Amino acid sequence: MKIIDKLYTRVKERGFICIGLDTSLDYLPDIMKKDKSIDEAIFAFNKEIIDNTYDVCACYKLQIAYYESYGLLGMKAYRDTLAYLREKDLISIGDIKRSDIAASASQYALAHFEGDFEADFITLNPYMGMDSISPYEKYIASGKKGVFILLRTSNEGANDFETLTTDNGEEYFYRVGDKIKELNDKYLGESGFGPFGLVVGATHKAEIEEIRKRYKNNFFLIPGFGAQKADSYNVYKLLRDLNGGVVNSSRAILKNYQNYEDGEGKIGHYARLKAIESKEEISQNASL
């Protein structure tokens, strides 16, 4: 089964939530850090989240910056978490947002599609041009790997460049998306989706319907829900029949235990509750 079809099936079976393992030591209770090295503590926290949520989410996204900031021990936790996800046959997204060309991009592909830091999907920044994407294509052509490419991001500064008007009167991000669509359509799976996904933030409601219609065969990674407070209806409109995308939530799920008096002993339990609650909040828009 191609990885994009596997992701489609996981969404169908377990829901569209993607749990962001953007794990900071600040999120961990003191008891979990006691007598543990940095890598041990972070991995223990991640494992607690994974073990309690794997059947109510489609995949897990690891933002590499949270691990790089702790140096070698942080990257050991990153490696160990990815290995644990593979061991449990769970889908991983390495949120690395690389942007480089030629030999350098090939080395990034080798680093994150093989070896210690292997993930099923990775995120890429396309703004150096299509030659920053093509070095990953040989892995994607195998059907075993996929990418999510930045298109319309959820941050406020996205308007600095992504919405600049091009010579045909459209916003710049549509030109990027059209190039990725062309590439994606070469590799469509049985689900009707291809492995060149797009990162589309749910905080920009003006373009949502056009983006979903225009890139109907691209799977979306949808940030902005949860701590960034994107409207659940906007998120729903970026999905296709509650599939065709995964909705990332990180802090809202990881730190949910802090909202309860008995939370420190039930971190995974409250993460699970928040993941289910998030899915239900978005899904209820189907009846509107």
Side-chain angles (χ1 to χ4, degrees):
M1 181 184 290
K2 290 183 177 182
I3 190 62
I4 192 62
D5 293 328
K6 184 176 181 179
L7 180 57
Y8 178 88
T9 301
R10 287 291 167 86
V11 172
K12 186 177 180 180
E13 295 172 346
R14 306 181 187 183
F16 46 75
I17 296 298
C18 170
I19 295 180
L21 295 173
D22 303 351
T23 307
S24 169
L25 281 176
D26 296 340
Y27 301 169
L28 278 61
D30 290 338
I31 192 171
M32 187 168 275
K33 292 183 280 190
K34 186 177 181 182
D35 300 324
K36 289 187 180 74
S37 61
I38 289 172
D39 60 304
E40 291 171 339
I42 292 174
F43 177 69
F45 183 86
N46 287 351
K47 185 176 182 295
E48 169 77 6
I49 299 293
I50 293 165
D51 287 347
N52 284 274
T53 60
Y54 67 89
D55 60 331
V56 295
C57 70
C59 57
Y60 296 85
K61 182 176 75 67
L62 285 73
Q63 168 48 258
I64 199 170
Y66 282 83
Y67 300 87
E68 289 177 334
S69 67
Y70 295 112
L72 293 176
L73 291 179
M75 290 307 297
K76 186 173 183 294
Y78 183 82
R79 179 200 68 183
D80 292 348
T81 302
L82 287 169
Y84 188 65
L85 291 170
R86 283 195 301 276
E87 178 186 320
K88 292 183 72 70
D89 190 32
L90 300 172
I91 297 174
S92 60
I93 302 173
D95 192 358
I96 61 173
K97 294 186 180 71
R98 295 300 190 254
S99 180
D100 216 321
I101 59 170
S104 296
S106 296
Q107 291 302 302
Y108 281 134
L110 182 64
H112 295 282
F113 279 152
E114 298 185 42
D116 287 346
F117 307 135
E118 181 182 357
D120 296 307
F121 292 84
I122 58 175
T123 57
L124 299 176
N125 184 334
Y127 288 98
M128 282 185 73
M130 291 303 290
D131 54 353
S132 68
I133 305 299
S134 57
Y136 301 88
E137 191 171 356
K138 73 171 186 177
Y139 290 95
I140 295 166
S142 73
K144 296 178 180 178
K145 301 297 180 185
V147 293
F148 285 103
I149 297 168
L150 300 183
L151 180 71
R152 187 71 171 104
T153 56
S154 59
N155 59 305
E156 186 177 338
N159 293 324
D160 292 342
F161 304 119
E162 292 173 15
T163 58
L164 293 176
T165 303
T166 60
D167 51 9
N168 67 354
E170 289 191 318
E171 293 168 306
Y172 179 47
F173 72 84
Y174 283 119
R175 179 164 292 183
V176 174
D178 289 351
K179 288 283 189 182
I180 302 304
K181 177 185 182 300
E182 207 175 299
L183 192 55
N184 184 67
D185 287 351
K186 292 166 53 181
Y187 298 103
L188 297 182
E190 291 183 6
S191 62
F193 291 94
F196 286 87
L198 297 169
V199 179
V200 182
T203 53
H204 303 296
K205 61 182 180 180
E207 308 97 350
I208 283 174
E209 291 184 9
E210 172 61 22
I211 291 172
R212 181 69 277 180
K213 179 181 176 182
R214 190 159 176 162
Y215 307 118
K216 63 180 181 179
N217 300 122
N218 294 86
F219 219 86
F220 290 173
L221 171 58
I222 305 167
F225 190 71
Q228 293 186 49
K229 305 295 185 184
D231 185 274
S232 67
Y233 188 54
N234 293 340
V235 175
Y236 168 73
K237 288 193 291 185
L238 283 171
L239 298 169
R240 279 181 54 191
D241 298 321
L242 297 178
N243 208 318
V246 288
V247 181
N248 185 73
S249 181
S250 302
R251 283 168 288 169
I253 290 176
L254 301 186
K255 299 173 68 176
N256 193 42
Y257 79 93
Q258 296 178 359
N259 297 318
Y260 300 88
E261 288 186 6
D262 62 344
E264 288 193 3
K266 302 172 73 173
I267 293 170
H269 170 76
Y270 287 117
R272 180 184 181 86
L273 287 185
K274 190 64 178 178
I276 294 171
E277 176 189 307
S278 299
K279 177 189 171 184
E280 290 176 347
E281 181 180 344
I282 295 165
S283 297
Q284 69 183 1
N285 289 288
S287 62
L288 296 180

